[in-house]
Amino acid sequence: MSKNLTTREEDYSKWYNELVVKADLAENSGVRGCMVIKPYGYAIWEKMQAELDRMFKETGHQNAYFPLFVPKSMFEAEEKNAEGFAKECAIVTHYRLKNDPDKPGKLMVDPNAKLEEELIVRPTSEAIIWSTYKGWVQSYRDLPLLINQWANVVRWEMRTRLFLRTAEFLWQEGHTAHATKKEAIEESEKMMNVYADFVQNFMAIPVVKGLKTETERFAGAEETYCIEALMQDGKALQAGTSHFLGQNFAKAFDVKFANAEGKQEYVWGTSWGVSTRLMGALVMTHSDDKGLVLPPNLAPIQVVIVPIYKSEEQLQAISAAVASVSAALRKLGVSVKYDDRTTQKPGFKFAEWELKGVPVRIAVGPKDLENGTFEVARRDNLSKEVVVADGIENYIANLLSQIQADLFANALSYRENHITEVNSFEEFKSVLEGKGGFVSAHWDGTAVTEEKIKELTKATIRCIPLDRVEEAGSCVFTGNPSVGRVFFAKAY
Amino acid sequence: MSKNLTTREEDYSKWYNELVVKADLAENSGVRGCMVIKPYGYAIWEKMQAELDRMFKETGHQNAYFPLFVPKSMFEAEEKNAEGFAKECAIVTHYRLKNDPDKPGKLMVDPNAKLEEELIVRPTSEAIIWSTYKGWVQSYRDLPLLINQWANVVRWEMRTRLFLRTAEFLWQEGHTAHATKKEAIEESEKMMNVYADFVQNFMAIPVVKGLKTETERFAGAEETYCIEALMQDGKALQAGTSHFLGQNFAKAFDVKFANAEGKQEYVWGTSWGVSTRLMGALVMTHSDDKGLVLPPNLAPIQVVIVPIYKSEEQLQAISAAVASVSAALRKLGVSVKYDDRTTQKPGFKFAEWELKGVPVRIAVGPKDLENGTFEVARRDNLSKEVVVADGIENYIANLLSQIQADLFANALSYRENHITEVNSFEEFKSVLEGKGGFVSAHWDGTAVTEEKIKELTKATIRCIPLDRVEEAGSCVFTGNPSVGRVFFAKAY
């Protein structure tokens, strides 16, 4: 397999698929639509998990674990939710295999082991969790319930792509229950803000916060808050959603509480989630034709050190110098790898670590030892500098912060250049076909228009931005009155 | 629901079930055989996970993630493994529900959405992982592969009990591949030792290390190493297993590598796992009739502080004193909860935190403030002491270490008193029916005898202890020659 990636200009989609595999993030498995997340990719996901988990706990949430399976009748209880997810689910119907009498060595489903009621592999856990909450909530004193679950879910997608759309994926799903509508709405907004904070400040990916239209809303929610990111090819990617569920699930599962006056009321709910899809967003926001570019906060290896030598003696001297720099860096919490493989040349190593997106590379040869310097290269902009060895650990620590900030600033500047206000449908189409990005346009508020525009352009309403200005206008498609602009885009 | 537990003497099994639910560890769900792990129980599991994960990484392993589903044909490839697990698996046969035309609002399995090949919900992941390893291993340079996965698995158990035996459970499964038999055996032994270290030093549960007999071995393994613990009712519990897989899976999935001489060889494998079953072991090793007893290493709350007061003024003075103690404790890494609920009396709080197994309780009233003391109570032995407030944080930190050590020492002493050497089948039966525990007896090495003894007494061979002395003897059942004693017990 050649190390050369297809370039983004040649074929963005091919570039993405190749990069995910070659950088050892993930690969397709022998199971249709399911991926294997490889150790390097999983290490990045673990860093995301750790930070999100910390943020969830800091905002008062606890983790728990609920069953993988949802009995069909339980799944049916919240009608919209069931309809929204029933079309793409894996269904367990039997619980035993037996030896196939006609084919020695082969197994067959035992027809005598048919389940009385089919089990759905959870596509999302509202049903199973709200059926449990019924037993946990009696009085207002039991509220709020602030619970999160890290889990795998399955949606039977027909067209799958590594991280972006897979039959099985990993995610977290928060499910909270509250005494009042106000509190539940506040929770939905709070978690959308936690997601935005995480994605922007930890992943260096700028997002637009907004509301989904009714068409794009989560099945069973009253309101869906979302954060939308923009990829390098001008397509949007939904990076996280937070749903205000109203009393829909409480009513479907009869979850009531006695308020302070002893009156029975239905509980108010929220749910919110982000998934391994974020790995796709990470790749498509920062990476380039040489490979992955990782923000230092998420890089499993932040600094790689490559020795350049001709003799064993030189290598020993370099290794000694590297040992003390590595120790100093580790003391500052920086993760370092010393790549002293003797089986590969420096050029090969440089290319490999560029492919894998290590933020900083230090090269050191005999000349450097003489001069008391190291060569420091940034992965993000490929610049190099010669840096004095003494105190280099502080230089590197600052550089890592700088890289994190620069990655965000660059992505933000790209995003800002890709929000285009349009006032006619001609303009609308030409921006979409041209540079892409978010097209900010007036819309008459109807699902019919939304659908029509989608048919004609493949663009959907990504969100009604939370910070939009009230502005009277006329719909870009129908000319009917509008109260403000919404963001359209083609999307992943 | 009354707070009083059934006592262990009344009904050990009922005591266990009640305690798991009342202490908020877990409960049964609306899905047959599947449990809900509640936040308090999950917090304990998270502590186990964090420590095990640290130990795995320290021994060179990386995490990854493989698919939930295993296609039937892949499952069949390693014959023994398939046979061993085929009888208790959940099978996905369809991928869509549709509206039931005969029952408005109800869904039915869409007969047009039948999978071409059935998918097994993983009961264990050797098949899917070895089918992946085929693509990862070409040369000896690609070895060893040292990989672990945190995941859920499903085994269709007919009789389930919270944590001990559930249809779905959480676990970690390590899967490694090596160039030589020797290395693979060393890895299996190393991971058995990691488990023993964790269970003994972190969970305070003594274990016997040993080998399984052929009958009890993992389906598809050449050798199964295990750690066996002893519960308070004299029954054994398998706490972890580590399998030397030989080349069985490499052959089934054609995983070969070119050795240093360029010759193709099959890879050698291991797998090893521990699960949420350890939660059951934790409960049944340390807890008592008042509730849970948690080793400080695993306690989500290590110290609870309860104020005793009559006036708001007293409460304020107490709270001020508590704030500084709490801060000092947290600085030492001790987790503290101040239970200043005004809705509950101290006696209620004491009972609740005893039920939940918080290792240390501090009570403080106006008298204590005057005297500059606190009342410190240990959960494990229920002893109380009055301790000078000044510097109490160091006293508590030491006390927590002491409790951890005492719990292990007590469990060890119980276990030592429950290993009984017997030399006749009469003795064998009378020990089993009497105090229980491990019965150390000679066995003739045949599966027939093993089976016969199991039929007659319900005792199985828990393990051939690794440290057993070679000792000529005659089988306790047949009188045939034996080369050493093995441990029998009734088991969970």
Side-chain angles (χ1 to χ4, degrees):
Chain A
M1 195 162 69
S2 148
K3 286 283 177 194
N4 281 339
L5 285 173
T6 298
T7 66
R8 288 170 292 173
E9 207 179 317
E10 280 176 272
D11 187 335
Y12 194 80
S13 171
K14 204 171 161 203
W15 165 83
Y16 173 82
N17 293 337
E18 281 181 14
L19 178 49
V20 167
V21 173
K22 287 190 178 179
D24 280 337
L25 299 182
E27 65 184 35
N28 285 308
S29 75
V31 189
R32 204 202 130 283
C34 294
M35 66 181 157
V36 171
I37 307 180
K38 298 177 80 174
Y40 193 65
Y42 201 83
I44 298 172
W45 175 242
E46 282 182 306
K47 284 184 176 270
M48 294 189 194
Q49 282 190 302
E51 177 65 8
L52 281 168
D53 200 67
R54 194 192 62 70
M55 294 173 91
F56 297 156
K57 284 173 178 160
E58 203 173 83
T59 44
H61 303 85
Q62 293 179 295
N63 289 329
Y65 188 77
F66 298 86
L68 170 67
F69 300 126
V70 189
K72 185 167 73 69
S73 58
M74 199 186 275
F75 191 60
E76 283 162 353
E78 210 296 325
E79 218 173 314
K80 279 189 188 162
N81 190 249
E83 258 185 44
F85 288 96
K87 278 168 196 149
E88 42 179 42
C89 59
I91 307 161
V92 176
T93 57
H94 292 74
Y95 60 86
R96 194 192 305 134
L97 292 172
K98 63 171 198 173
N99 294 320
D100 189 332
D102 300 330
K103 297 177 194 158
K106 301 287 173 189
L107 298 168
M108 61 177 282
V109 173
D110 185 343
N112 294 323
K114 193 170 186 309
L115 292 172
E116 272 180 47
E117 179 175 11
E118 295 88 355
L119 298 174
I120 316 306
V121 180
R122 62 182 163 215
T124 181
S125 300
E126 279 76 8
I128 185 78
I129 289 181
W130 280 87
S131 80
T132 308
Y133 282 179
K134 181 173 169 55
W136 292 4
V137 178
Q138 274 88 42
S139 132
Y140 70 96
R141 285 187 206 90
D142 302 322
L143 297 171
L145 285 176
L146 302 174
I147 289 180
N148 176 60
Q149 162 170 279
W150 290 97
N152 53 345
V153 285
V154 173
R155 297 177 187 177
W156 208 259
E157 303 285 354
M158 280 302 145
R159 295 183 54 181
T160 61
R161 288 188 68 192
L162 292 168
F163 290 124
L164 297 172
R165 198 171 290 277
T166 47
E168 181 191 16
F169 58 89
L170 303 184
W171 79 344
Q172 61 64 221
E173 45 183 328
H175 295 270
T176 70
H178 307 264
T180 66
K181 179 176 180 177
K182 181 164 171 287
E183 238 187 77
I185 290 176
E186 279 169 6
E187 168 79 6
S188 328
E189 289 175 351
K190 180 197 281 176
M191 298 322 289
M192 172 199 62
N193 284 319
V194 164
Y195 287 153
D197 179 3
F198 169 75
V199 172
Q200 301 202 136
N201 298 321
F202 207 73
M203 301 183 67
I205 301 176
V207 295
V208 176
K209 299 181 203 173
L211 281 170
K212 287 288 179 193
T213 63
E214 198 179 337
T215 313
E216 300 280 331
R217 201 176 282 160
F218 177 75
E222 299 280 300
E223 198 74 274
T224 289
Y225 295 84
C226 64
I227 53 171
E228 294 282 326
L230 196 62
M231 304 297 100
Q232 295 167 342
D233 62 345
K235 284 169 80 173
L237 185 145
Q238 175 179 301
T241 49
S242 179
H243 316 294
F244 166 60
L245 303 175
Q247 294 174 314
N248 294 343
F249 286 89
K251 284 178 180 163
F253 293 95
D254 194 34
V255 186
K256 289 183 198 163
F257 70 102
N259 67 17
E261 290 79 45
K263 221 187 107 213
Q264 292 286 310
E265 288 184 42
Y266 284 110
V267 165
W268 298 85
T270 85
S271 66
W272 29 273
V274 297
S275 75
T276 36
R277 209 164 191 241
L278 285 177
M279 292 286 294
L282 183 70
V283 172
M284 292 194 293
T285 300
H286 303 302
S287 301
D288 63 23
D289 294 345
K290 287 180 178 287
L292 217 53
V293 174
L294 293 175
N297 283 347
L298 286 174
I301 301 166
Q302 294 174 310
V303 175
V304 64
I305 307 181
V306 179
I308 319 249
Y309 59 95
K310 292 204 174 115
S311 69
E312 179 61 26
E313 206 184 359
Q314 287 177 346
L315 176 59
Q316 279 180 16
I318 292 169
S319 297
V322 165
S324 76
V325 175
S326 298
L329 282 168
R330 290 200 183 102
K331 221 166 161 181
L332 295 177
V334 175
S335 58
V336 187
K337 185 179 177 71
Y338 179 40
D339 184 359
D340 60 351
R341 285 177 292 176
T342 53
T343 46
Q344 308 292 358
K345 297 234 160 76
F348 178 95
K349 294 178 183 177
F350 285 13
E352 182 170 329
W353 298 116
E354 275 173 6
L355 178 64
K356 290 198 151 188
V358 174
V360 170
R361 180 187 73 221
I362 298 178
V364 50
K367 266 264 166 59
D368 295 298
L369 289 191
E370 270 173 42
N371 300 339
T373 58
F374 290 108
E375 185 196 84
V376 175
R378 284 173 67 151
R379 172 64 186 92
D380 60 330
N381 61 17
L382 302 170
S383 67
K384 285 186 217 171
E385 271 188 286
V386 172
V387 179
V388 175
D390 195 38
I392 194 174
E393 64 274 15
N394 296 313
Y395 176 89
I396 299 286
N398 289 334
L399 182 60
L400 289 169
S401 305
Q402 190 59 50
I403 292 172
Q404 180 80 28
D406 288 354
L407 284 174
F408 181 74
N410 288 338
L412 183 61
S413 138
Y414 173 86
R415 204 275 308 274
E416 293 305 307
N417 288 328
H418 286 79
I419 298 180
T420 312
E421 285 201 359
V422 303
N423 294 305
S424 76
F425 198 55
E426 281 317 302
E427 255 188 291
F428 185 102
K429 286 187 292 188
S430 100
V431 172
L432 271 181
E433 292 317 307
K435 70 176 190 174
F438 291 118
V439 181
S440 174
H442 278 287
W443 162 61
D444 63 17
T446 70
V448 178
T449 303
E450 194 179 359
E451 181 59 30
K452 199 81 199 168
I453 292 177
K454 186 179 173 185
E455 269 175 41
L456 292 169
T457 66
K458 291 187 183 151
T460 49
I461 301 180
R462 302 317 303 156
C463 70
I464 305 160
L466 288 187
D467 63 358
R468 78 164 175 182
V469 223
E470 298 282 308
E471 176 195 85
S474 47
C475 175
V476 77
F477 187 70
T478 61
N480 291 338
S482 148
V483 294
R485 292 172 182 273
V486 298
F487 280 10
F488 287 87
K490 293 186 196 174
Y492 279 96
Chain B
M1 194 164 68
S2 149
K3 287 282 177 194
N4 281 340
L5 285 173
T6 298
T7 66
R8 289 169 293 173
E9 206 179 316
E10 281 176 272
D11 187 337
Y12 194 79
S13 170
K14 204 170 163 203
W15 165 83
Y16 173 82
N17 293 337
E18 281 181 16
L19 177 50
V20 167
V21 173
K22 288 190 177 177
D24 280 337
L25 300 182
E27 65 183 38
N28 285 308
S29 75
V31 190
R32 203 202 131 282
C34 294
M35 64 180 159
V36 171
I37 307 180
K38 299 177 79 173
Y40 193 65
Y42 201 83
I44 298 172
W45 174 242
E46 282 183 306
K47 285 185 174 269
M48 293 190 195
Q49 282 190 301
E51 177 65 8
L52 282 168
D53 200 67
R54 192 192 64 70
M55 293 174 91
F56 297 157
K57 285 175 177 157
E58 204 175 82
T59 45
H61 302 85
Q62 292 180 295
N63 289 328
Y65 189 76
F66 298 86
L68 171 67
F69 300 127
V70 189
K72 185 167 72 69
S73 58
M74 200 185 275
F75 191 60
E76 282 162 353
E78 211 295 324
E79 217 172 315
K80 279 190 189 163
N81 189 249
E83 257 184 44
F85 288 98
K87 281 170 192 146
E88 41 180 42
C89 60
I91 307 161
V92 176
T93 57
H94 291 74
Y95 59 84
R96 196 192 304 133
L97 292 172
K98 64 171 199 171
N99 294 320
D100 189 332
D102 300 330
K103 296 177 193 157
K106 300 288 173 188
L107 299 168
M108 60 178 280
V109 173
D110 184 344
N112 294 323
K114 192 169 185 309
L115 291 172
E116 273 180 46
E117 180 175 11
E118 295 87 354
L119 298 174
I120 316 306
V121 180
R122 62 181 164 216
T124 182
S125 300
E126 279 76 8
I128 184 79
I129 289 181
W130 280 88
S131 80
T132 309
Y133 281 180
K134 182 172 169 55
W136 292 5
V137 178
Q138 276 86 42
S139 133
Y140 70 97
R141 284 188 208 88
D142 302 321
L143 296 170
L145 284 176
L146 301 174
I147 291 181
N148 176 61
Q149 163 170 278
W150 290 97
N152 53 345
V153 284
V154 173
R155 297 179 187 175
W156 208 260
E157 304 283 356
M158 279 303 144
R159 294 182 57 183
T160 61
R161 287 188 69 192
L162 292 169
F163 291 124
L164 297 172
R165 198 170 290 278
T166 47
E168 182 192 17
F169 58 89
L170 303 184
W171 80 345
Q172 62 64 221
E173 44 182 328
H175 295 271
T176 70
H178 307 264
T180 66
K181 179 176 179 178
K182 181 165 170 286
E183 238 188 77
I185 291 177
E186 279 169 7
E187 168 79 5
S188 327
E189 289 175 353
K190 180 197 281 176
M191 298 322 289
M192 173 200 61
N193 284 318
V194 164
Y195 287 153
D197 179 4
F198 170 75
V199 173
Q200 299 202 137
N201 298 320
F202 207 74
M203 300 183 68
I205 301 176
V207 294
V208 176
K209 299 180 202 172
L211 282 170
K212 288 287 181 194
T213 62
E214 200 179 336
T215 313
E216 299 280 330
R217 200 176 283 160
F218 177 75
E222 298 281 300
E223 198 75 273
T224 289
Y225 295 84
C226 64
I227 53 171
E228 293 282 326
L230 196 63
M231 304 296 100
Q232 295 166 342
D233 61 346
K235 285 169 80 174
L237 185 145
Q238 176 180 299
T241 49
S242 178
H243 317 294
F244 166 60
L245 302 175
Q247 295 175 315
N248 294 342
F249 286 89
K251 286 180 179 163
F253 292 95
D254 193 33
V255 186
K256 287 183 201 162
F257 71 102
N259 67 18
E261 290 78 44
K263 219 187 106 212
Q264 293 286 309
E265 288 183 41
Y266 284 111
V267 165
W268 298 85
T270 85
S271 66
W272 28 274
V274 297
S275 74
T276 37
R277 206 162 195 244
L278 286 178
M279 293 286 294
L282 183 70
V283 172
M284 290 194 293
T285 300
H286 304 301
S287 301
D288 64 22
D289 294 345
K290 286 179 178 289
L292 216 54
V293 174
L294 293 174
N297 283 347
L298 286 174
I301 301 165
Q302 294 174 310
V303 175
V304 64
I305 307 180
V306 178
I308 319 246
Y309 59 94
K310 292 205 174 114
S311 68
E312 178 61 27
E313 205 183 3
Q314 287 176 345
L315 176 59
Q316 278 179 18
I318 291 169
S319 297
V322 165
S324 76
V325 174
S326 298
L329 282 168
R330 290 200 182 100
K331 221 167 161 181
L332 294 178
V334 175
S335 58
V336 187
K337 183 176 178 74
Y338 180 40
D339 184 0
D340 60 351
R341 284 176 293 175
T342 53
T343 47
Q344 308 293 358
K345 296 234 159 75
F348 178 93
K349 294 178 184 178
F350 285 13
E352 182 170 328
W353 298 117
E354 276 172 3
L355 178 64
K356 292 199 152 187
V358 174
V360 170
R361 178 187 75 220
I362 299 178
V364 49
K367 265 264 166 61
D368 296 297
L369 289 191
E370 271 172 41
N371 301 338
T373 58
F374 291 107
E375 184 195 85
V376 175
R378 284 172 67 150
R379 172 62 185 91
D380 60 330
N381 61 17
L382 303 170
S383 67
K384 286 186 214 172
E385 271 187 285
V386 172
V387 179
V388 176
D390 194 35
I392 193 172
E393 64 275 15
N394 295 313
Y395 176 89
I396 299 286
N398 288 334
L399 182 60
L400 289 169
S401 304
Q402 190 59 51
I403 292 172
Q404 180 80 29
D406 288 353
L407 285 174
F408 181 74
N410 287 339
L412 183 62
S413 138
Y414 173 85
R415 204 274 309 273
E416 292 306 308
N417 287 329
H418 286 78
I419 299 181
T420 313
E421 285 200 0
V422 303
N423 294 305
S424 75
F425 198 57
E426 281 317 302
E427 255 188 290
F428 185 103
K429 287 186 290 187
S430 101
V431 172
L432 271 181
E433 291 318 307
K435 71 177 189 175
F438 291 118
V439 180
S440 175
H442 278 285
W443 162 60
D444 63 17
T446 70
V448 178
T449 302
E450 195 179 357
E451 182 58 32
K452 200 79 200 173
I453 292 177
K454 186 178 172 185
E455 269 176 41
L456 291 169
T457 65
K458 291 187 182 152
T460 49
I461 300 179
R462 300 319 302 155
C463 70
I464 305 161
L466 288 187
D467 62 358
R468 78 164 173 180
V469 221
E470 299 282 309
E471 177 194 86
S474 46
C475 174
V476 77
F477 188 68
T478 61
N480 291 337
S482 148
V483 296
R485 293 171 181 275
V486 299
F487 280 10
F488 287 87
K490 294 188 194 172
Y492 279 96

